[in-house]
Amino acid sequence: MSILKKISAQLEAMAPADRQIGRFIIDNPDQMLRLSSAALAVETGRSQSSVVKFSQKLGYAGYQELKLAVSEAKAQEWQAPAGMIHGTIEVGDGYLTILQKLLGSKMQAMQQTISVNNEANIEKALEALHDARRIHLAGVGASSLVARDFSYKLMKLGRNVLHDSDSHVQMANASTLGPDDLLFALSYSGASIETLRIAELASQRQATVVAVTGLQDNPLARVADICLHTVGDEDRVRSSAITARDAQLMLTDLLFILLVQRQPDANDYVHNSETAVSVLKAKRLS
Amino acid sequence: MSILKKISAQLEAMAPADRQIGRFIIDNPDQMLRLSSAALAVETGRSQSSVVKFSQKLGYAGYQELKLAVSEAKAQEWQAPAGMIHGTIEVGDGYLTILQKLLGSKMQAMQQTISVNNEANIEKALEALHDARRIHLAGVGASSLVARDFSYKLMKLGRNVLHDSDSHVQMANASTLGPDDLLFALSYSGASIETLRIAELASQRQATVVAVTGLQDNPLARVADICLHTVGDEDRVRSSAITARDAQLMLTDLLFILLVQRQPDANDYVHNSETAVSVLKAKRLS
DNA sequence: AGCAAATTGGAATAAAAAATTCCAATTCCC
DNA sequence: GGGAATTGGAATTTTTTATTCCAATTTGCT
């Protein structure tokens, strides 16, 4: 969640000094980035320590971290390609409007998901995946399909993958994990009980836990060693896990491609897979 | 001109300390933004004053201004994709290039898939889905996951859905279809033997056959009553059904939304589903 | 209504970070 | 070879950030 949006949401409930400082930042993010805490204090008629405290109340170590977050929020502001429509799909919308809003929401979710995950963190997850003796995938509902899709891709590369749609089997599999293994857990809410319990068990057993989860603070993120974040906008597309699923796929597809890049024999594996499947395709008739 | 590019261009002509500092910034812009001038000095094995002087030699008042410029350069990198990079992901591609190519390929697949299906044809498929007594979903491999995803969505709306991952069960289910039923068959190649055989059987039994398949002439398209086309570009993303899957999801998501729009009690169904699932979510703790 | 606890927020202070100065060593140019 | 220019770290100064102290105000409970 963009810090600018977060400040906006909390503005009314803030005390006077905080509200004034928050208002200034929302209205003038570019300018704020160029100001010292003392200069911002002058601009708002408040004290320098109030500026630092404002930052800390938002959860940052101090003003410098807040500035970084504002900078990232600005970078994340999505620039729509020409012609794209933003907005919530509504009852009276016609076909073309629905279509464009759906497409716009999907694109936004994917792009923002990329924006909120920095390269270092992706590389960290990639490294862990690459080095894992076994990769166990966990997820329920829509996330279970993303997990399965990713499991097919990993298996295609010859990786040792554990995946089952039954959460009891997932749990039992997790009980066999060890320090050389990795749990890849998907849950947009981060609160799905099955996925959470599996992650807790994997963590207890010293497996590396990689979570693919929403940006909000959540129990799964707290258990994970490595957190990859997804941004979805379910309210706009009548829920049903459309953009959250697309966001997760964006990350798993990226990890797959990056793994292919760093696995010298990947092309062989992919080619072998296609050859093997071709016997299950109808022959072309001229 | 991005400061990162500017540093890159000047790197070879720089003195040793400057080169080292510049190299670090180019390689680790995210990390740099979080470091003080002293911490960056430690990372590079150079002195804190060298860091400040490096900034000043580049034309900035000091390190803080350089940081702002780096932050802006990074923001520009993300905004650039408005133009989108199209191209084949290749062995030497760096992280950012891979990312942009992947995102670009996904967006292109979805946009083109929308373009090749006219509203009349989508509405025809929608009408058939809406009116069907039972909807049977068929697909194998990656298409099977799209089929399953769509089956979950249709079931959430209270529709009578037949879906099983086992193609033999799919075949047996198809043998129970009749004129009031509909087969929704997904296969990008249109040549998957199982899906094809199921479609042929459904067609024989007078069920309506809706195919979601690639643009090329193929056996599945020939059997179908209604053809929805998908455009993927698997060669660009190392195969593995990434863009073909995204294209299929674009269509199934669109059909789902359109169904929600024309089913008066859809919101109730979606809401009931969320409420039901909420008991399987961990409670938020204050 | 009264009182204790909690919150607010500025002034003062301390710590950290950024910027400049000093100067020795090295390189460049005539 | 010698002077000028450049390099770059250590030392120092200045600025910025963060924390502490404490008075005033608000909140919550009896």
Side-chain angles (χ1 to χ4, degrees), chain B residues 16-39:
Chain B
D18 289 346
R19 192 181 305 124
Q20 205 159 352
I21 292 163
R23 165 60 53 208
F24 185 91
I25 292 171
I26 293 166
D27 290 348
N28 310 278
D30 283 332
Q31 192 179 348
M32 176 260 191
L33 289 175
R34 294 181 187 275
L35 298 175
S36 65
S37 56

PDB file of all heavy atoms in Angstrom, chain B residues 16-39:
ATOM      1  N   PRO B  16      40.011   6.001  -9.653  1.00  0.00           N
ATOM      2  CA  PRO B  16      39.694   4.763  -8.937  1.00  0.00           C
ATOM      3  C   PRO B  16      38.589   4.815  -7.889  1.00  0.00           C
ATOM      4  O   PRO B  16      37.673   3.981  -7.927  1.00  0.00           O
ATOM      5  CB  PRO B  16      41.046   4.401  -8.295  1.00  0.00           C
ATOM      6  CG  PRO B  16      42.059   4.969  -9.217  1.00  0.00           C
ATOM      7  CD  PRO B  16      41.463   6.241  -9.745  1.00  0.00           C
ATOM      8  N   ALA B  17      38.667   5.762  -6.986  1.00  0.00           N
ATOM      9  CA  ALA B  17      37.646   5.808  -5.938  1.00  0.00           C
ATOM     10  C   ALA B  17      36.277   6.084  -6.546  1.00  0.00           C
ATOM     11  O   ALA B  17      35.292   5.417  -6.215  1.00  0.00           O
ATOM     12  CB  ALA B  17      37.982   6.883  -4.912  1.00  0.00           C
ATOM     13  N   ASP B  18      36.234   7.052  -7.445  1.00  0.00           N
ATOM     14  CA  ASP B  18      34.972   7.384  -8.097  1.00  0.00           C
ATOM     15  C   ASP B  18      34.406   6.197  -8.859  1.00  0.00           C
ATOM     16  O   ASP B  18      33.200   5.951  -8.845  1.00  0.00           O
ATOM     17  CB  ASP B  18      35.152   8.570  -9.051  1.00  0.00           C
ATOM     18  CG  ASP B  18      35.363   9.884  -8.310  1.00  0.00           C
ATOM     19  OD1 ASP B  18      35.106   9.918  -7.080  1.00  0.00           O
ATOM     20  OD2 ASP B  18      35.762  10.863  -8.960  1.00  0.00           O
ATOM     21  N   ARG B  19      35.275   5.481  -9.512  1.00  0.00           N
ATOM     22  CA  ARG B  19      34.803   4.344 -10.304  1.00  0.00           C
ATOM     23  C   ARG B  19      34.161   3.297  -9.399  1.00  0.00           C
ATOM     24  O   ARG B  19      33.132   2.702  -9.707  1.00  0.00           O
ATOM     25  CB  ARG B  19      35.948   3.712 -11.086  1.00  0.00           C
ATOM     26  CG  ARG B  19      35.442   2.726 -12.130  1.00  0.00           C
ATOM     27  CD  ARG B  19      36.552   2.062 -12.923  1.00  0.00           C
ATOM     28  NE  ARG B  19      37.424   3.025 -13.559  1.00  0.00           N
ATOM     29  CZ  ARG B  19      38.738   3.065 -13.375  1.00  0.00           C
ATOM     30  NH1 ARG B  19      39.338   2.206 -12.598  1.00  0.00           N
ATOM     31  NH2 ARG B  19      39.452   3.972 -13.991  1.00  0.00           N
ATOM     32  N   GLN B  20      34.810   3.100  -8.255  1.00  0.00           N
ATOM     33  CA  GLN B  20      34.289   2.081  -7.343  1.00  0.00           C
ATOM     34  C   GLN B  20      32.927   2.474  -6.765  1.00  0.00           C
ATOM     35  O   GLN B  20      32.014   1.652  -6.654  1.00  0.00           O
ATOM     36  CB  GLN B  20      35.293   1.861  -6.202  1.00  0.00           C
ATOM     37  CG  GLN B  20      35.185   0.513  -5.580  1.00  0.00           C
ATOM     38  CD  GLN B  20      36.461   0.131  -4.852  1.00  0.00           C
ATOM     39  OE1 GLN B  20      37.482   0.826  -4.945  1.00  0.00           O
ATOM     40  NE2 GLN B  20      36.388  -0.975  -4.137  1.00  0.00           N
ATOM     41  N   ILE B  21      32.844   3.728  -6.401  1.00  0.00           N
ATOM     42  CA  ILE B  21      31.571   4.221  -5.860  1.00  0.00           C
ATOM     43  C   ILE B  21      30.481   4.187  -6.928  1.00  0.00           C
ATOM     44  O   ILE B  21      29.353   3.737  -6.690  1.00  0.00           O
ATOM     45  CB  ILE B  21      31.759   5.651  -5.292  1.00  0.00           C
ATOM     46  CG1 ILE B  21      32.659   5.599  -4.041  1.00  0.00           C
ATOM     47  CG2 ILE B  21      30.411   6.275  -4.963  1.00  0.00           C
ATOM     48  CD1 ILE B  21      33.239   6.936  -3.641  1.00  0.00           C
ATOM     49  N   GLY B  22      30.825   4.643  -8.115  1.00  0.00           N
ATOM     50  CA  GLY B  22      29.860   4.637  -9.216  1.00  0.00           C
ATOM     51  C   GLY B  22      29.408   3.235  -9.555  1.00  0.00           C
ATOM     52  O   GLY B  22      28.220   2.986  -9.790  1.00  0.00           O
ATOM     53  N   ARG B  23      30.352   2.311  -9.552  1.00  0.00           N
ATOM     54  CA  ARG B  23      30.026   0.908  -9.854  1.00  0.00           C
ATOM     55  C   ARG B  23      29.011   0.364  -8.856  1.00  0.00           C
ATOM     56  O   ARG B  23      28.038  -0.301  -9.215  1.00  0.00           O
ATOM     57  CB  ARG B  23      31.323   0.093  -9.846  1.00  0.00           C
ATOM     58  CG  ARG B  23      31.241  -1.402  -9.788  1.00  0.00           C
ATOM     59  CD  ARG B  23      30.494  -2.031 -10.959  1.00  0.00           C
ATOM     60  NE  ARG B  23      30.992  -1.624 -12.253  1.00  0.00           N
ATOM     61  CZ  ARG B  23      30.218  -1.585 -13.341  1.00  0.00           C
ATOM     62  NH1 ARG B  23      28.938  -1.895 -13.285  1.00  0.00           N
ATOM     63  NH2 ARG B  23      30.708  -1.237 -14.500  1.00  0.00           N
ATOM     64  N   PHE B  24      29.270   0.697  -7.606  1.00  0.00           N
ATOM     65  CA  PHE B  24      28.356   0.218  -6.569  1.00  0.00           C
ATOM     66  C   PHE B  24      26.945   0.759  -6.765  1.00  0.00           C
ATOM     67  O   PHE B  24      25.948   0.037  -6.652  1.00  0.00           O
ATOM     68  CB  PHE B  24      28.867   0.591  -5.167  1.00  0.00           C
ATOM     69  CG  PHE B  24      28.018   0.022  -4.064  1.00  0.00           C
ATOM     70  CD1 PHE B  24      28.321  -1.218  -3.513  1.00  0.00           C
ATOM     71  CD2 PHE B  24      26.904   0.696  -3.593  1.00  0.00           C
ATOM     72  CE1 PHE B  24      27.519  -1.767  -2.506  1.00  0.00           C
ATOM     73  CE2 PHE B  24      26.092   0.162  -2.599  1.00  0.00           C
ATOM     74  CZ  PHE B  24      26.413  -1.077  -2.052  1.00  0.00           C
ATOM     75  N   ILE B  25      26.846   2.025  -7.053  1.00  0.00           N
ATOM     76  CA  ILE B  25      25.535   2.655  -7.213  1.00  0.00           C
ATOM     77  C   ILE B  25      24.774   2.070  -8.398  1.00  0.00           C
ATOM     78  O   ILE B  25      23.576   1.783  -8.323  1.00  0.00           O
ATOM     79  CB  ILE B  25      25.691   4.186  -7.362  1.00  0.00           C
ATOM     80  CG1 ILE B  25      26.179   4.793  -6.029  1.00  0.00           C
ATOM     81  CG2 ILE B  25      24.368   4.815  -7.781  1.00  0.00           C
ATOM     82  CD1 ILE B  25      26.573   6.256  -6.131  1.00  0.00           C
ATOM     83  N   ILE B  26      25.470   1.868  -9.490  1.00  0.00           N
ATOM     84  CA  ILE B  26      24.827   1.296 -10.671  1.00  0.00           C
ATOM     85  C   ILE B  26      24.332  -0.127 -10.398  1.00  0.00           C
ATOM     86  O   ILE B  26      23.246  -0.513 -10.815  1.00  0.00           O
ATOM     87  CB  ILE B  26      25.823   1.254 -11.862  1.00  0.00           C
ATOM     88  CG1 ILE B  26      26.163   2.653 -12.306  1.00  0.00           C
ATOM     89  CG2 ILE B  26      25.238   0.463 -13.009  1.00  0.00           C
ATOM     90  CD1 ILE B  26      27.353   2.700 -13.227  1.00  0.00           C
ATOM     91  N   ASP B  27      25.152  -0.882  -9.686  1.00  0.00           N
ATOM     92  CA  ASP B  27      24.814  -2.267  -9.417  1.00  0.00           C
ATOM     93  C   ASP B  27      23.770  -2.431  -8.316  1.00  0.00           C
ATOM     94  O   ASP B  27      23.065  -3.434  -8.273  1.00  0.00           O
ATOM     95  CB  ASP B  27      26.077  -3.058  -9.026  1.00  0.00           C
ATOM     96  CG  ASP B  27      27.024  -3.247 -10.204  1.00  0.00           C
ATOM     97  OD1 ASP B  27      26.600  -2.981 -11.348  1.00  0.00           O
ATOM     98  OD2 ASP B  27      28.174  -3.642  -9.972  1.00  0.00           O
ATOM     99  N   ASN B  28      23.715  -1.481  -7.431  1.00  0.00           N
ATOM    100  CA  ASN B  28      22.826  -1.612  -6.273  1.00  0.00           C
ATOM    101  C   ASN B  28      22.056  -0.341  -5.943  1.00  0.00           C
ATOM    102  O   ASN B  28      22.142   0.187  -4.836  1.00  0.00           O
ATOM    103  CB  ASN B  28      23.644  -1.984  -5.030  1.00  0.00           C
ATOM    104  CG  ASN B  28      24.577  -3.144  -5.263  1.00  0.00           C
ATOM    105  OD1 ASN B  28      24.181  -4.300  -5.198  1.00  0.00           O
ATOM    106  ND2 ASN B  28      25.851  -2.847  -5.552  1.00  0.00           N
ATOM    107  N   PRO B  29      21.293   0.204  -6.888  1.00  0.00           N
ATOM    108  CA  PRO B  29      20.615   1.478  -6.628  1.00  0.00           C
ATOM    109  C   PRO B  29      19.671   1.408  -5.422  1.00  0.00           C
ATOM    110  O   PRO B  29      19.622   2.337  -4.625  1.00  0.00           O
ATOM    111  CB  PRO B  29      19.874   1.761  -7.940  1.00  0.00           C
ATOM    112  CG  PRO B  29      19.836   0.460  -8.661  1.00  0.00           C
ATOM    113  CD  PRO B  29      21.042  -0.307  -8.234  1.00  0.00           C
ATOM    114  N   ASP B  30      18.927   0.319  -5.309  1.00  0.00           N
ATOM    115  CA  ASP B  30      18.017   0.202  -4.170  1.00  0.00           C
ATOM    116  C   ASP B  30      18.743   0.273  -2.838  1.00  0.00           C
ATOM    117  O   ASP B  30      18.327   0.971  -1.921  1.00  0.00           O
ATOM    118  CB  ASP B  30      17.264  -1.132  -4.227  1.00  0.00           C
ATOM    119  CG  ASP B  30      16.149  -1.112  -5.236  1.00  0.00           C
ATOM    120  OD1 ASP B  30      15.614  -0.015  -5.501  1.00  0.00           O
ATOM    121  OD2 ASP B  30      15.816  -2.171  -5.764  1.00  0.00           O
ATOM    122  N   GLN B  31      19.833  -0.472  -2.779  1.00  0.00           N
ATOM    123  CA  GLN B  31      20.600  -0.508  -1.544  1.00  0.00           C
ATOM    124  C   GLN B  31      21.211   0.858  -1.245  1.00  0.00           C
ATOM    125  O   GLN B  31      21.192   1.334  -0.115  1.00  0.00           O
ATOM    126  CB  GLN B  31      21.704  -1.556  -1.663  1.00  0.00           C
ATOM    127  CG  GLN B  31      22.367  -1.874  -0.358  1.00  0.00           C
ATOM    128  CD  GLN B  31      23.445  -2.945  -0.521  1.00  0.00           C
ATOM    129  OE1 GLN B  31      23.541  -3.588  -1.550  1.00  0.00           O
ATOM    130  NE2 GLN B  31      24.251  -3.114   0.512  1.00  0.00           N
ATOM    131  N   MET B  32      21.763   1.475  -2.273  1.00  0.00           N
ATOM    132  CA  MET B  32      22.378   2.781  -2.099  1.00  0.00           C
ATOM    133  C   MET B  32      21.427   3.780  -1.451  1.00  0.00           C
ATOM    134  O   MET B  32      21.816   4.591  -0.626  1.00  0.00           O
ATOM    135  CB  MET B  32      22.834   3.307  -3.472  1.00  0.00           C
ATOM    136  CG  MET B  32      23.408   4.697  -3.447  1.00  0.00           C
ATOM    137  SD  MET B  32      22.163   5.889  -3.995  1.00  0.00           S
ATOM    138  CE  MET B  32      23.134   7.379  -4.198  1.00  0.00           C
ATOM    139  N   LEU B  33      20.155   3.712  -1.879  1.00  0.00           N
ATOM    140  CA  LEU B  33      19.185   4.688  -1.367  1.00  0.00           C
ATOM    141  C   LEU B  33      18.981   4.545   0.139  1.00  0.00           C
ATOM    142  O   LEU B  33      18.513   5.458   0.803  1.00  0.00           O
ATOM    143  CB  LEU B  33      17.856   4.553  -2.107  1.00  0.00           C
ATOM    144  CG  LEU B  33      17.860   5.025  -3.551  1.00  0.00           C
ATOM    145  CD1 LEU B  33      16.520   4.736  -4.224  1.00  0.00           C
ATOM    146  CD2 LEU B  33      18.157   6.525  -3.634  1.00  0.00           C
ATOM    147  N   ARG B  34      19.291   3.408   0.661  1.00  0.00           N
ATOM    148  CA  ARG B  34      19.111   3.186   2.092  1.00  0.00           C
ATOM    149  C   ARG B  34      20.367   3.451   2.911  1.00  0.00           C
ATOM    150  O   ARG B  34      20.347   3.361   4.122  1.00  0.00           O
ATOM    151  CB  ARG B  34      18.657   1.746   2.336  1.00  0.00           C
ATOM    152  CG  ARG B  34      17.294   1.521   1.766  1.00  0.00           C
ATOM    153  CD  ARG B  34      16.743   0.144   1.983  1.00  0.00           C
ATOM    154  NE  ARG B  34      15.501   0.044   1.217  1.00  0.00           N
ATOM    155  CZ  ARG B  34      14.321   0.447   1.649  1.00  0.00           C
ATOM    156  NH1 ARG B  34      14.198   0.932   2.858  1.00  0.00           N
ATOM    157  NH2 ARG B  34      13.260   0.374   0.895  1.00  0.00           N
ATOM    158  N   LEU B  35      21.473   3.755   2.224  1.00  0.00           N
ATOM    159  CA  LEU B  35      22.746   3.936   2.930  1.00  0.00           C
ATOM    160  C   LEU B  35      23.094   5.400   3.163  1.00  0.00           C
ATOM    161  O   LEU B  35      22.824   6.251   2.323  1.00  0.00           O
ATOM    162  CB  LEU B  35      23.876   3.294   2.118  1.00  0.00           C
ATOM    163  CG  LEU B  35      23.797   1.792   1.891  1.00  0.00           C
ATOM    164  CD1 LEU B  35      24.930   1.341   0.959  1.00  0.00           C
ATOM    165  CD2 LEU B  35      23.893   1.036   3.208  1.00  0.00           C
ATOM    166  N   SER B  36      23.726   5.673   4.326  1.00  0.00           N
ATOM    167  CA  SER B  36      24.296   6.992   4.557  1.00  0.00           C
ATOM    168  C   SER B  36      25.593   7.087   3.754  1.00  0.00           C
ATOM    169  O   SER B  36      26.091   6.084   3.269  1.00  0.00           O
ATOM    170  CB  SER B  36      24.593   7.175   6.037  1.00  0.00           C
ATOM    171  OG  SER B  36      25.596   6.261   6.436  1.00  0.00           O
ATOM    172  N   SER B  37      26.104   8.283   3.639  1.00  0.00           N
ATOM    173  CA  SER B  37      27.350   8.436   2.886  1.00  0.00           C
ATOM    174  C   SER B  37      28.470   7.633   3.560  1.00  0.00           C
ATOM    175  O   SER B  37      29.320   7.051   2.885  1.00  0.00           O
ATOM    176  CB  SER B  37      27.749   9.910   2.760  1.00  0.00           C
ATOM    177  OG  SER B  37      27.857  10.507   4.030  1.00  0.00           O
ATOM    178  N   ALA B  38      28.441   7.564   4.871  1.00  0.00           N
ATOM    179  CA  ALA B  38      29.459   6.802   5.600  1.00  0.00           C
ATOM    180  C   ALA B  38      29.299   5.304   5.361  1.00  0.00           C
ATOM    181  O   ALA B  38      30.285   4.574   5.182  1.00  0.00           O
ATOM    182  CB  ALA B  38      29.380   7.112   7.092  1.00  0.00           C
ATOM    183  N   ALA B  39      28.059   4.855   5.357  1.00  0.00           N
ATOM    184  CA  ALA B  39      27.810   3.419   5.139  1.00  0.00           C
ATOM    185  C   ALA B  39      28.198   3.023   3.718  1.00  0.00           C
ATOM    186  O   ALA B  39      28.742   1.939   3.490  1.00  0.00           O
ATOM    187  CB  ALA B  39      26.338   3.106   5.401  1.00  0.00           C
TER     188      ALA B  39
END
